Amino acid sequence: MSKMTNLTVKGQVTIPKDVRDALGLRAGEPVEIDWRGGEEAVIRKGSLGIEERKRRREAMRARIDSAAEKYRHLRTGQSTDDYMADFREPLP
């Protein structure tokens, strides 16, 4: 499969979506570029080390905890169905 894309003035290249999907690439994950010399380079999915995966997991947990604290006042102890039933009751 051969794809064409343009290089930006900042030296960035957009990897086409079908290629990203085929490689399983996601935003923020490492990408390895292997220069073969001359005019050829190979792009492959990079791998995260154990420490980097742990750091990212801890950062995600911190963001989740922060959001939970920010919206703590919205907790009612009701199930979603009960909350929605109360919310949809007609006004007297």
Side-chain angles (χ1 to χ4, degrees), residues 37-76:
E39 297 179 359
E40 184 177 272
V42 175
I43 298 172
R44 51 177 86 77
K45 183 176 183 174
S47 62
L48 296 174
I50 293 172
E51 290 302 316
E52 178 63 14
R53 283 194 299 257
K54 182 179 178 183
R55 187 193 67 74
R56 287 183 181 208
R57 187 171 40 251
E58 289 170 355
M60 177 63 75
R61 189 64 183 147
R63 287 194 300 272
I64 291 169
D65 290 345
S66 174
E69 181 59 29
K70 180 178 180 180
Y71 296 106
R72 182 176 48 86
H73 66 282
L74 299 176
R75 294 185 201 151
T76 64

Side-chain angles (χ1 to χ4, degrees), residues 74 76-90:
L74 299 176
T76 64
Q78 292 177 294
S79 71
T80 303
D81 291 335
D82 291 341
Y83 179 82
M84 292 308 293
D86 288 346
F87 185 73
R88 292 181 177 146
E89 285 290 317

